[in-house]
Amino acid sequence: MNEPVDTPLTVPPDSDRKASVRSFLNKLTRRSKQRRRFVVGTAVAAICGLLAGVISFRLLPGLSARDLLPAFVLPHGAGGEPRSSQGPDNRLLERHTRRLTLQTTGSDAGPDGARQLAQAILATVRNFYVDADRVTDQQIGELLVKVIRRKSGQFQASIDGNAIVLSENGKASRYQLNPAGMVDAVAAVSTAMASTAAENPEADDSSVEPAQKCRDLLNALVAELDPHSSVMSPSAYSELRQGTEGSFGGLGVLVGIRDRVLTVIKPLPNSPASRAGILAGDRIVRINSQPTFGMALEDLMEFMRGTPGTHVMMRVLRDGGQAPMDIALKREVIQVDSVTSRLVEDPKLKILHVTVESFSAKTSREILTAMKSFKRTHGAIDGMIMDLRSNPGGLLDQAVQVTDLFLEDGVIVSTRGRREEVEYAGKGYDEVEFPLVVLIDEESASASEIVAGALQDHGRAVVVGRPSFGKGSVQTVFELPYEAALKLTIARYFTPANRSIQNVGIIPDMWVQPLIERGENLNLLGQSRYRNEGFLLHRLDEKLQTRQHLVALDERMSESCCAKAYVMAPRSEENDTDESIEAARLLVAAARDVANRHGQDKQDHGWAPGRARSLVTDEVVRSKFGKLASEAANWLRSKFGIAWEVPNGKGQFLSLAVDPSDVEFTVQSMTGTAAVSGADARFLWTLTNKNPHPLQRVSVYLRASGFAGETKEILVGSINPGETRSGNISARVPFAPKNESWDVDIGVALDAWPVAPLTRQFHLDTQIVERPSLNIVSSITAETGGVPNGVLDPGEKANLHIVITNEGHAPASDLEFHVVNLSGARVSLGDAKLTVSQLAPGAVTFVDLPVLFNGNHVIGEVDIGVSVDAREMEKPLDRQITLPVSVIAGRVGVMSSPAVQQ
């Protein structure tokens, strides 16, 4: 998840630590006497497992964040963006880009490298972490002992009085529980771990330098503080910087994994890919002779990266093509826009739809450019939709500047950490003459939430969509010795109305909740439910806000200004009606109608603060969305017998905030305290309503904690006073390389909102079990119409004989076989099925796949993707098989085919 972060700074690791820290503080805290300003962001960070530290982008239907990455290569330039003469100036970025020079000698090898790195990291954490009372010497020492126990198998660690005791091979060493002592302890452990790794070349560990081990060790320590703090390797820091500069070296193509094949989502304008004729939907079969089928996207990116000016050869298969094409591309510096815009279809109004992918260095300028361009083409803007859905955040100063475009004065955001700072809107280029709607969803985070919250609090915009991610903290990036970096949480931010969105998010004025048509009562409200800050491990808790938030939510959702509509999700891409955009369009139209009826001038336009949100119910929900909500409720009742029609009245959340015991919720683990990796963990739940009023729109959910945790939800409906409902819910225990713990939250949601007091937490110890290990070998058999020599001739028919062996120590059950044609019309594949239901250890089975080689095309090889999966396997076995073809076929193709593009 991209986060608001501050400017890279450097902590001097010299011996005079106190003087260095004092100097560091003085330089960091310089502020203008004329007005207080925010600490600027310079880098965005990725959601663990979602965006892999690269530029953010809109998720497309059918793709997960891990399946979609832009193909770029190297950072361009070392500094920030230059000031622009157009649009708001980047004043925050200008002010806080001063860096302290860190002098280091030699490489990061040896104990001195680990010592310098540990001193820099621990000093920064103590002096700048948001909660000073959580980073005392005692607490850092306890965390250090915890991570040493977990990361190092050769040490026993404990705290004895005022010292950390490390025992190795029966020999104990004591380190004082103070800054110097903890630095010595980290250096000693890192050096020993590096030495052990170097002596064991068979170990799956490339970190053999003490500084690398120190970085890993202290990364685990700061990760215990909160999910957004981390110690970054030089490569990770380099990629993080790339994500904020808006320019990359690469091919200029957005790619994803579809049907296990690397597929072009879209080429970027004016890029090597677009000039070479690469189109959306093209499948990339090979990169520089490297087969791509079944490879992880992160690994494939390494083959697409390289120095600008170098060449890449890609083999591309187009739908309907006779054969793949070999296309030569030269890597270039790619300028990536964070903003796209279009005209919304409306018979009467000219509405600008601006999609903000992330908040990078040029976002405010790009939005301003989009508005000016729209005016030149279409005239005045009747209304604007700012789409922040799936926007993971980015630069804090850009969030401020974007908000400032639409406000004339007032607070935009404030932060509170070791000090409090406030950012105000200023006089400048203020676009206030038209209605503004902001779209958010559960993947809108951080900087996106700052913009949505500020515009909502000032009544400048109506917010539509679903509650946002709830990341209410600010990170800064501190440069470390040897090109590493520390990303550290330094503050919490608050909206103009003094709201903290930590673990809560921005609640939209109009909550549009899709209802998915499925055959079973599972995840009917979407699989991305509850993937928010409140379910991350080691999150910053706002326990004092739990009751206050329930009260505020109860009052807000019962006000006339706000509404919620459950709508049936589109059944197909052909009927892909975006109900959030439709709601925004109706809101703009309603505002214009109000202005016209009352004869108001253009500056008022029916969107004045205090009146805009009333349009949600008065002009929108009571018309189209009231009917859509009825359709969704009728479907739930007819399909599953679930009563979902009655909206919540005031008091439901309030009663739970006052007395959670009005609802009795018990959960029993049918698995016990241990779970088998790859198996199902089952839980039995019972829910009793002791409240004198019915509980409405009730659901029970399971959420595995962490960034990539699984979510399952079962809709229950209404529960009358005194009524008890029960059921069970299960989740697949994730595969893990070693025995480790697994945290699960099971809770109750009312009206699609989790109620914190009704959450039950389980901590399971996963046990690794033997798994099958499949292997594939293939050969050409049963050749007819050609020379039977194991080589395909033009017009020849044959079988691809695929032998599958279980080389593991556990059986493989429920085997599935999948094949993909990677060679176009030059080869035809028949049907082949895998009939065996279980493959014992050491057992062999086979599949004969009919193949017809048509030949006569430029590329000699025939590529076929084969995939075999089993229930016990962590992931399918994917293999790209290359079939040999006759030399004649290749020569004929060279003479007759114009398919090669250079």
Side-chain angles (χ1 to χ4, degrees):
M1 187 66 59
N2 288 356
E3 305 148 2
V5 294
D6 205 345
T7 303
L9 297 170
T10 305
V11 179
D14 53 84
S15 58
D16 189 4
R17 184 183 61 82
K18 292 184 178 179
S20 299
V21 170
R22 188 180 305 112
S23 173
F24 189 15
L25 283 167
N26 290 337
K27 292 186 179 183
L28 180 67
T29 56
R30 289 177 182 171
R31 294 292 182 266
S32 169
K33 295 182 179 180
Q34 296 179 349
R35 63 189 305 192
R36 293 185 296 171
R37 289 295 183 186
F38 233 25
V39 179
V40 71
T42 64
V44 287
I47 260 179
C48 275
L50 283 188
L51 301 180
V54 297
I55 190 172
S56 53
F57 43 82
R58 287 276 304 185
L59 297 180
L60 301 180
L63 294 176
S64 68
R66 296 184 63 86
D67 291 335
L68 190 62
L69 289 175
F72 64 91
V73 191
L74 294 175
H76 176 58
E81 286 294 323
R83 293 187 59 158
S84 170
S85 59
Q86 298 180 350
D89 64 276
N90 205 356
R91 56 190 182 278
L92 296 175
L93 187 60
E94 292 286 322
R95 179 175 300 176
H96 295 284
T97 50
R98 296 187 298 270
R99 301 181 182 181
L100 302 179
T101 303
L102 174 65
Q103 300 294 335
T104 58
T105 57
S107 68
D108 62 352
D112 287 343
R115 188 179 304 278
Q116 286 192 26
L117 199 57
Q119 185 175 2
I121 293 172
L122 294 179
T124 307
V125 170
R126 283 196 306 273
N127 286 284
F128 295 100
Y129 189 68
V130 56
D131 293 329
D133 57 353
R134 295 184 59 206
V135 289
T136 63
D137 287 346
Q138 179 70 30
Q139 289 170 315
I140 291 180
E142 291 173 355
L143 290 178
L144 184 58
V145 166
K146 180 179 179 179
V147 298
I148 290 175
R149 290 172 178 172
R150 187 169 75 238
K151 302 287 287 187
S152 172
Q154 63 198 90
F155 282 98
Q156 293 179 340
S158 62
I159 293 181
D160 180 16
N162 62 348
I164 295 176
V165 180
L166 300 179
S167 300
E168 182 184 18
N169 299 325
K171 182 180 179 180
S173 300
R174 295 177 65 88
Y175 300 88
Q176 290 298 307
L177 198 59
N178 58 31
M182 285 187 282
V183 168
D184 291 340
V186 171
V189 172
S190 302
T191 301
M193 291 173 63
S195 177
T196 300
E199 294 171 359
N200 185 11
E202 296 181 358
D204 185 18
D205 190 348
S206 60
S207 301
V208 295
E209 296 296 342
Q212 293 174 301
K213 290 298 183 181
C214 173
R215 192 168 58 230
D216 295 341
L217 191 68
L218 294 184
N219 178 58
L221 185 148
V222 298
E224 292 283 332
L225 296 173
D226 66 76
H228 306 291
S229 294
S230 64
V231 178
M232 309 176 70
S233 66
S235 61
Y237 182 33
S238 174
E239 288 191 352
L240 184 145
R241 292 198 305 268
Q242 295 174 38
T244 63
E245 292 172 358
S247 61
F248 308 94
L251 305 177
V253 59
L254 190 67
V255 295
I257 300 295
R258 287 182 174 174
D259 197 20
R260 299 184 175 91
V261 181
L262 184 65
T263 304
V264 176
I265 305 304
K266 68 174 181 179
L268 300 179
N270 301 318
S271 67
S274 63
R275 290 194 295 272
I278 291 178
L279 303 177
D282 286 350
R283 293 187 287 178
I284 303 173
V285 179
R286 291 174 178 265
I287 304 174
N288 287 342
S289 300
Q290 171 64 43
T292 64
F293 179 80
M295 288 187 64
L297 190 57
E298 292 85 351
D299 296 333
L300 289 171
M301 298 304 298
E302 295 301 321
F303 293 97
M304 304 181 78
R305 296 173 178 176
T307 305
T310 59
H311 289 81
V312 178
M313 181 66 72
M314 295 200 308
R315 182 166 295 178
V316 176
L317 177 62
R318 186 160 296 164
D319 285 347
Q322 292 295 310
M325 304 174 290
D326 281 339
I327 302 177
L329 302 173
K330 181 188 288 187
R331 298 181 176 97
E332 298 178 2
V333 173
I334 307 297
Q335 297 295 326
V336 181
D337 294 332
S338 62
V339 174
T340 58
S341 61
R342 68 179 183 90
L343 172 69
V344 176
E345 293 185 7
D346 187 276
K348 298 179 180 179
L349 300 174
K350 293 168 290 187
I351 302 174
L352 171 62
H353 178 201
V354 171
T355 299
V356 184
E357 310 284 355
S358 66
F359 288 88
S360 60
K362 298 179 291 184
T363 299
S364 60
R365 264 180 279 162
E366 290 175 9
I367 291 178
L368 190 57
T369 299
M371 290 190 292
K372 291 180 177 180
S373 176
F374 188 90
K375 290 178 180 179
R376 286 193 299 268
T377 304
H378 302 286
I381 299 175
D382 291 326
M384 177 173 163
I385 302 171
M386 186 189 300
D387 200 335
L388 302 181
R389 292 176 296 180
S390 298
N391 183 322
L395 296 180
L396 184 57
D397 77 309
Q398 286 298 303
V400 170
Q401 290 182 27
V402 168
T403 307
D404 201 356
L405 287 173
F406 304 98
L407 295 178
E408 295 180 295
D409 52 35
V411 173
I412 293 177
V413 67
S414 61
T415 59
R416 300 168 197 170
R418 300 293 179 99
R419 61 188 59 83
E420 180 178 355
E421 300 190 17
V422 182
E423 184 65 24
Y424 298 91
K427 297 293 183 181
Y429 195 96
D430 297 318
E431 290 280 3
V432 296
E433 74 274 11
F434 51 75
L436 176 64
V437 178
V438 175
L439 305 185
I440 61 172
D441 63 11
E442 58 277 344
E443 293 179 349
S444 303
S446 202
S448 298
E449 295 171 295
I450 289 175
V451 174
L455 295 175
Q456 185 183 58
D457 281 359
H458 283 285
R460 175 64 185 90
V462 172
V463 179
V464 174
R466 299 187 293 280
S468 59
F469 187 80
K471 181 186 174 297
S473 59
V474 181
Q475 283 67 44
T476 189
V477 177
F478 299 86
E479 289 183 346
L480 297 173
Y482 315 116
E483 299 181 348
L486 169 64
K487 179 161 66 71
L488 188 68
T489 299
I490 62 166
R492 292 174 174 85
Y493 71 77
F494 295 80
T495 71
N498 201 33
R499 291 185 292 161
S500 169
I501 59 90
Q502 177 67 21
N503 303 331
V504 175
I506 300 297
I507 307 300
D509 301 304
M510 181 172 182
W511 186 335
V512 181
Q513 179 65 55
L515 182 66
I516 302 171
E517 187 171 339
R518 296 169 57 97
E520 59 178 336
N521 182 5
L522 182 65
N523 291 338
L524 297 177
L525 303 182
Q527 292 185 339
S528 59
R529 299 269 295 145
Y530 311 127
R531 293 186 180 178
N532 54 37
E533 181 83 10
F535 291 95
L536 297 185
L537 293 174
H538 312 304
R539 61 190 177 270
L540 291 176
D541 283 321
E542 304 291 349
K543 295 181 179 179
L544 296 177
Q545 293 185 344
T546 299
R547 180 182 179 278
Q548 297 174 359
H549 170 65
L550 286 174
V551 173
L553 181 66
D554 182 78
E555 293 176 348
R556 183 172 184 79
M557 296 313 296
S558 61
E559 289 176 357
S560 61
C561 72
C562 307
K564 176 181 289 186
Y566 291 83
V567 300
M568 300 300 295
R571 295 179 177 86
S572 65
E573 292 186 4
E574 290 75 18
N575 185 29
D576 191 10
T577 302
D578 192 324
E579 300 297 355
S580 291
I581 291 181
E582 178 64 9
R585 186 188 69 81
L586 293 174
L587 283 166
V588 172
R592 289 302 184 189
D593 288 344
V594 169
N596 292 336
R597 286 199 303 267
H598 293 83
Q600 295 158 345
D601 59 27
K602 185 178 179 181
Q603 290 296 322
D604 193 352
H605 59 64
W607 205 254
R611 190 193 314 142
R613 290 177 187 149
S614 65
L615 297 170
V616 172
T617 52
D618 292 345
E619 304 289 345
V620 177
V621 174
R622 292 176 184 173
S623 55
K624 177 176 179 178
F625 280 84
K627 298 176 181 178
L628 291 175
S630 296
E631 176 188 349
N634 291 337
W635 181 81
L636 281 175
R637 181 175 288 278
S638 62
K639 181 70 176 179
F640 301 109
I642 297 174
W644 207 259
E645 300 92 338
V646 181
N648 280 325
K650 186 173 183 179
Q652 181 166 247
F653 288 100
L654 181 62
S655 64
L656 289 174
V658 174
D659 188 3
S661 64
D662 280 349
V663 177
E664 183 178 300
F665 182 60
T666 60
V667 182
Q668 179 182 358
S669 172
M670 308 302 292
T671 310
T673 59
V676 178
S677 178
D680 286 336
R682 300 180 63 84
F683 302 88
L684 177 67
W685 58 267
T686 302
L687 182 62
T688 302
N689 181 14
K690 297 182 177 180
N691 196 298
H693 306 287
L695 292 176
Q696 300 161 347
R697 290 178 174 172
V698 179
S699 61
V700 174
Y701 66 88
L702 178 151
R703 170 73 172 129
S705 296
F707 279 102
E710 183 180 10
T711 299
K712 287 190 174 181
E713 183 175 33
I714 298 171
L715 302 190
V716 179
S718 295
I719 304 180
N720 294 320
E723 184 180 4
T724 297
R725 305 284 288 275
S726 62
N728 63 80
I729 193 167
S730 64
R732 180 63 56 91
V733 180
F735 288 97
K738 59 183 179 180
N739 293 335
E740 57 184 30
S741 61
W742 187 52
D743 294 295
V744 178
D745 293 314
I746 301 174
V748 175
L750 298 180
D751 210 1
W753 185 261
V755 180
L758 298 180
T759 301
R760 307 293 177 254
Q761 297 180 333
F762 290 84
H763 183 83
L764 305 180
D765 295 322
T766 61
Q767 300 175 351
I768 302 303
V769 296
E770 291 285 351
R771 294 200 297 268
S773 176
L774 302 184
N775 189 29
I776 292 176
V777 295
S778 62
S779 60
I780 296 176
T781 62
E783 298 175 74
T784 59
V787 180
N789 58 357
V791 177
L792 292 178
D793 299 314
E796 185 177 56
K797 296 181 180 179
N799 282 340
L800 179 60
H801 185 66
I802 302 172
V803 179
I804 304 169
T805 306
N806 184 0
E807 299 178 349
H809 300 287
S813 58
D814 299 332
L815 272 71
E816 297 180 358
F817 179 78
H818 184 67
V819 62
V820 178
N821 183 354
L822 302 176
S823 296
R826 68 195 309 261
V827 64
S828 301
L829 305 179
D831 294 329
K833 295 183 178 180
L834 191 61
T835 57
V836 61
S837 60
Q838 187 175 76
L839 195 63
V844 176
T845 188
F846 67 90
V847 176
D848 282 322
L849 176 68
V851 177
L852 170 62
F853 179 52
N854 300 312
N856 295 333
H857 289 285
V858 64
I859 297 175
E861 303 90 355
V862 168
D863 285 320
I864 296 173
V866 173
S867 178
V868 181
D869 198 6
R871 182 167 59 86
E872 297 84 0
M873 295 175 61
E874 180 178 2
K875 59 182 180 179
L877 170 64
D878 297 316
R879 186 70 53 83
Q880 185 162 327
I881 299 175
T882 300
L883 306 183
V885 301
S886 67
V887 176
I888 295 176
R891 288 176 178 173
V892 171
V894 168
M895 292 188 297
S896 62
S897 175
V900 174
Q901 299 184 25
Q902 297 294 338

